[in-house]
Amino acid sequence: MKKIATALLVAALLPLPLQAQETAENLVAGMRKAEMTYKELMTLMGKSIGMMQEGVLTHNREMVEQGANFIFTHPAPNHSPWAIMKPEDQAGFKQALVTYDKVLDENTKDILKATRSRDWMAATGALSQLQVSCVSCHAQWKDKAQKWPAPLR
């Protein structure tokens, strides 16, 4: 599983010259800040994928569009996402955030393209690829995340 995650990361980074690579700080700075933790954000991302799954299953293009919209426009958590990692893991996690943000967008665009042309089998395949991308990142990082206290509201 780690080999898949590493291959995805390398494949996504190869076409980018070093000076053109976006930083995690710039990525997060360009997003709306939401009153939620990174864990809560990931829960919403999972629900968005679930909405797209149901939309593909029932051939409901609007449901797919709504789930995709959240992936494209998701906010940043109320803290730096890399703060959930130990200091020695933060640089790698920052790069993963930048890479997977692009990968998830590309996977989601593939799902939308297929559903807009009513090619539900292609949409199923593209949705499977999105799920592989999510699981690859989670497999690489979930056990390294530190427990983060619940936000005070």
Side-chain angles (χ1 to χ4, degrees):
M1 189 59 72
K2 286 185 180 183
K3 289 181 182 180
I4 293 171
T6 302
L8 269 173
L9 187 63
V10 169
L13 292 176
L14 281 178
L16 298 174
L18 285 177
Q19 66 273 18
Q21 290 181 11
E22 184 171 18
T23 66
E25 291 84 358
N26 289 342
L27 176 67
V28 171
M31 296 176 169
R32 176 181 64 83
K33 291 274 188 183
E35 247 335 283
M36 68 177 145
T37 64
Y38 187 72
K39 182 177 181 178
E40 291 168 331
L41 172 61
M42 289 296 99
T43 299
L44 287 175
M45 294 290 276
K47 289 184 181 296
S48 297
I49 292 169
M51 183 181 288
M52 288 192 294
Q53 289 170 328
E54 187 174 345
V56 168
L57 182 64
T58 62
H59 298 189
N60 182 332
R61 289 185 299 161
E62 184 60 28
M63 189 174 276
V64 175
E65 295 274 346
Q66 292 296 321
N69 184 56
F70 186 78
I71 290 177
F72 292 139
T73 64
H74 68 83
N78 58 5
H79 59 84
S80 299
W82 47 91
I84 67 171
M85 296 293 161
K86 294 177 186 169
E88 62 268 22
D89 292 325
Q90 288 184 6
F93 188 65
K94 285 179 181 183
Q95 189 58 58
L97 288 172
V98 172
T99 300
Y100 280 102
D101 186 68
K102 290 176 179 63
V103 169
L104 298 182
D105 283 356
E106 288 303 314
N107 292 160
T108 302
K109 287 176 188 174
D110 292 343
I111 296 165
L112 289 174
K113 180 180 177 188
T115 59
R116 288 172 179 163
S117 64
R118 298 181 189 272
D119 186 346
W120 299 105
M121 290 307 293
T124 300
L127 184 58
S128 176
Q129 186 55 53
L130 175 62
Q131 292 168 318
V132 166
S133 297
C134 292
V135 170
S136 296
C137 187
H138 283 254
Q140 186 176 6
W141 295 104
K142 73 176 179 63
D143 293 333
K144 294 180 180 183
Q146 301 177 63
K147 298 293 181 204
W148 194 257
L152 300 174
R153 293 191 173 121

